[in-house]
């Protein structure tokens, strides 16, 4: 089994324009057309059994609309294998009510992207969101490290993640991109907490084998999640790179599906 815990889709009518804008800004090319159907096609092609969509609200007004659409995705998940987290924005005026709605409707978590939302990950507004989600049993996936489309300033450094951990003591936080894209030496130095999850999206092929295996040894394979950041990387590429790592069968299975299945309650 293979669970991709970090994917993105866009509404059909804006997908092409969104990919062109984001891809041009980041200097990368997508692996799908960015639509829901494109993700389904990529899953079939690359042997992915389950995908988790992580929607990003770039302003508070988008949150409810995104989440109602995400609910429809989850209602079809038994047939499609595609689940969705909810969206949240640190400036949402009724974040407690919306997080409660997500929890009551069976969502497993939310996505925050500090660079796109113009909030530092350890500012009060963002930490209030993380803390409230934690109290409801919702996982919070946070874009961590450099974003190649918005390289400066970095809005979620390992130092900021350290402050979140020390302040909130979360057990439901997922730091994307192996804890902090292209900041992995700081991840190794600062983030060895066993209760925090990392997804490995958009990392393999960039992170060194030494860095990755140090994170596995230090952090534990039981808290690492397979992810691609689709449409920006493919499961075939990520899986191929993962197979080059000197992992035990148990570690490999933890990363590829066991940890993700536990979070999703499968």
């Amino acid at each position: 089994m293979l669970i991709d815990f970090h994917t993105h889709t866009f509404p059909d009518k804006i997908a092409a324009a969104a990919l062109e804008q984001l891809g041009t800004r980041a200097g990368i090319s997508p692996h799908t057309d960015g639509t829901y159907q494109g993700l389904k096609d990529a899953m079939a092609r690359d042997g992915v059994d389950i995908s988790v969509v992580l929607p990003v609200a770039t302003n508070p007004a988008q949150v409810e609309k995104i989440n109602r659409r995400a609910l429809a995705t989850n209602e079809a998940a038994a047939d499609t294998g595609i689940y969705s987290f909810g969206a949240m924005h640190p400036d949402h005026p009724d974040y407690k009510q919306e997080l409660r709605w997500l929890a009551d409707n069976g969502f497993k978590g939310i996505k925050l992207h500090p660079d796109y939302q113009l909030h530092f990950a350890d500012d009060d507004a963002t930490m209030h969101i993380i803390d409230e989600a934690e109290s409801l049993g919702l996982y919070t996936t946070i874009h961590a490290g450099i974003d190649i489309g918005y390289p400066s300033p970095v809005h979620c450094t390992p130092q900021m993640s350290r402050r979140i951990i020390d302040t909130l003591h979360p057990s439901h936080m997922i730091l994307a991109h192996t804890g902090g894209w292209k900041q992995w030496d700081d991840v190794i130095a600062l983030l060895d907490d066993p209760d925090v999850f990392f997804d490995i999206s958009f990392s393999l092929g960039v992170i060194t084998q030494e860095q990755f295996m140090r994170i596995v040894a230090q952090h534990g394979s039981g808290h690492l999640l397979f992810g691609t950041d689709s449409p920006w990387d493919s499961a075939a590429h990520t899986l191929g790179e993962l197979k080059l790592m000197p992992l035990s069968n148990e570690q490999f299975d933890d990363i590829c599906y066991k940890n993700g299945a536990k979070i999703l309650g499968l």
Side-chain angles (χ1 to χ4, degrees):
M1 177 176 279
L2 186 61
I3 299 177
D4 186 344
F5 222 87
H6 189 137
T7 73
H8 302 283
T9 62
F10 302 89
D12 290 358
K13 64 182 180 181
I14 68 166
L19 291 194
E20 182 176 1
Q21 179 185 11
L22 293 170
T24 299
R25 188 178 183 102
I28 54 177
S29 298
H31 290 260
T32 79
D33 65 4
T35 66
Y36 180 87
Q37 184 62 48
L39 176 60
K40 288 179 66 176
D41 293 343
M43 290 170 65
R45 181 182 66 240
D46 292 345
V48 176
D49 298 282
I50 294 169
S51 287
V52 177
V53 176
L54 301 177
V56 177
T58 57
N59 67 70
Q62 296 174 339
V63 169
E64 281 85 356
K65 183 177 181 179
I66 291 173
N67 289 340
R68 280 27 176 205
R69 187 168 63 240
L71 180 61
T73 297
N74 289 339
E75 289 173 342
D79 295 322
T80 64
I82 300 176
Y83 294 80
S84 183
F85 272 26
M88 183 46 63
H89 193 285
D91 293 328
H92 194 287
D94 298 314
Y95 71 90
K96 289 186 178 182
Q97 179 179 333
E98 186 66 12
L99 289 172
R100 168 58 67 182
W101 182 88
L102 290 169
D104 288 347
N105 280 278
F107 283 77
K108 300 300 182 182
I110 60 170
K111 171 67 186 290
L112 297 175
H113 198 309
D115 294 291
Y116 288 10
Q117 296 172 332
L118 300 179
H119 275 267
F120 291 103
D122 62 345
D123 70 17
D124 288 344
T126 304
M127 288 213 289
H128 289 327
I129 298 292
I130 298 168
D131 194 34
E132 186 68 18
E134 184 79 19
S135 74
L136 294 168
L138 294 169
Y139 286 82
T140 300
T141 295
I142 307 172
H143 172 91
I146 298 168
D147 184 289
I148 56 177
Y150 297 83
S152 181
V154 178
H155 285 79
C156 184
T157 65
Q159 290 80 5
M160 295 174 194
S161 297
R162 179 75 262 163
R163 180 169 180 258
I164 296 169
I165 293 165
D166 290 343
T167 303
L168 302 180
H169 309 289
S171 61
H172 290 68
M173 186 165 74
I174 303 170
L175 296 174
H177 313 304
T178 321
W181 198 75
K182 275 199 170 182
Q183 297 187 319
W184 294 302
D185 287 339
D186 286 341
V187 170
I188 292 165
L190 296 172
L191 301 178
D192 60 350
D193 304 81
D195 288 336
V196 177
F197 290 82
F198 297 164
D199 78 42
I200 66 170
S201 63
F202 207 73
S203 299
L204 301 189
V206 183
I207 192 171
T208 68
Q209 184 177 106
E210 178 185 6
Q211 287 172 320
F212 185 78
M213 292 308 299
R214 284 186 68 187
I215 289 171
V216 172
Q218 186 180 63
H219 197 65
S221 64
H223 280 76
L224 297 176
L225 299 160
F226 185 91
T228 62
D229 206 9
S230 176
W232 306 113
D233 201 357
S234 69
H237 172 256
T238 304
L239 188 62
E241 293 286 344
L242 189 64
K243 288 178 178 178
L244 297 176
M245 299 294 179
L247 297 164
S248 69
N249 290 337
E250 181 179 2
Q251 290 172 325
F252 187 83
D253 289 346
D254 281 347
I255 296 169
C256 285
Y257 72 91
K258 286 185 177 179
N259 300 329
K262 288 178 183 178
I263 291 175
L264 294 174
L266 302 177

